[in-house]
Amino acid sequence: MFITQNKTIFFAVAGGLAALALVAILSFGLKFGIEFTGGSTFEVRYETERPAQERVEGVITPLFDRSVSVRPAGDSSYIIQTPFVQDDEHSEVMEQLSFGGELEVIEERFSSVGPSIGEELRAKALVAIALVVTGIVLFVAFSFRRGMDTEGNYLNEGVSSWYYSLAAIVALIFDILIPTGLFALLGVALGAEVDVLFVTALLAIIGFSVNDTIVVFDRVRENLQVNRETNHKENFDETVGKSLTQSFARSINTSLTTSLVLIALYVFGGAVTQAFALTLLVGVLAGTYSSLFIASPLLVKFQEWGEKRNS
């Protein structure tokens, strides 16, 4: 009941965070990685002494007419992202990274994505997210449809099944906005880029969050059914509040254990997976908040609006 009684406060917190994320996205934009813009990635390791980052940037940057990213990885490696490198340019880059043979450098990884493939991947990523969200809307609306039992009673009282979908979508928008806004800030501060792993993390966040939301919705439906079978009179906001109380510990424990795994992945997983782990971690926390403090309280708000409209 505490959550439903104070839903306005939780809506205000969510709105403030979402507004900050939106401002960050609109102000700074997103820095897309080479998977979406086209380019090449080198991961090189120095056998003896790793040269200073400024020295590496000094020999690589003049080779290209666009900006180059040089990031340390571990104690002896660098991850270098450049514009698209042709085969005949590859050896020249490695020659420069070895400073004319002065240092022994080993190429651990090299990958290239052409500009046309990058545009195609960006379009497919947007389509994938749109399809997932559409599927969730239809699934939630179907699962919580207002059917009737054999005695002619509604199986889902309170609000229409489409309001369940709408509440889930509002929660998902919040879940996507928060990590995306964070990445807009990290792009400016640390050069963090939006890549395929970021899109993968967003899709995973959507799945995690909607699962948590549906668990609470399902508990609401079960309690409505119990009230009807026992002829127990209870307001809809009381039923939602009771359902949240019953699901609260489960949601927090799930989020906590998942967060511990993601923190370990961020700390020990290396530079390649750090951004992926951070995105998932922020998304899991946002998803837990939206499931408990946005989606279900929204059902109460929709029901209140419906009563006012019908009165």
Side-chain angles (χ1 to χ4, degrees), residues 182-223:
L182 175 67
F183 250 72
L185 292 174
L186 292 178
V188 176
L190 303 175
E193 295 181 338
V194 173
D195 54 13
V196 172
L197 281 178
F198 177 80
V199 177
T200 305
L202 286 187
L203 293 173
I205 290 167
I206 290 173
F208 175 88
S209 176
V210 77
N211 175 67
D212 211 24
T213 300
I214 286 177
V215 167
V216 182
F217 285 177
D218 212 30
R219 185 56 62 92
V220 172
R221 182 170 58 179
E222 289 174 3
N223 285 326

Side-chain angles (χ1 to χ4, degrees), residues 73-95:
D75 297 327
S76 58
S77 301
Y78 280 112
I79 296 176
I80 302 166
Q81 293 183 325
T82 69
F84 186 73
V85 172
Q86 304 285 351
D87 291 340
D88 56 344
E89 297 172 325
H90 178 267
S91 57
E92 184 180 357
V93 172
M94 293 303 299
E95 176 68 16

Side-chain angles (χ1 to χ4, degrees), residues 49-65:
E49 179 185 359
R50 186 174 70 179
Q53 182 174 342
E54 293 77 12
R55 191 180 178 196
V56 175
E57 291 173 341
V59 297
I60 292 298
T61 302
L63 298 178
F64 303 97
D65 57 0

Side-chain angles (χ1 to χ4, degrees), residues 45 48 55 60 83-84 97 115 191 229 293:
R45 176 169 56 85
T48 54
R55 191 180 178 196
I60 292 298
F84 186 73
L97 289 174
E229 291 174 352
F293 302 103

Side-chain angles (χ1 to χ4, degrees), residues 120-138:
E120 182 180 349
L121 283 175
R122 185 160 49 185
K124 285 184 175 179
L126 293 175
V127 169
I129 292 176
L131 287 176
V132 168
V133 172
T134 303
I136 289 172
V137 171
L138 297 176

Side-chain angles (χ1 to χ4, degrees), residues 156-157 164 220-228 236 239:
N156 182 29
E157 298 173 343
Y164 283 82
V220 172
R221 182 170 58 179
E222 289 174 3
N223 285 326
L224 287 172
Q225 187 172 353
V226 169
N227 290 342
R228 185 177 61 250
F236 185 65
T239 305

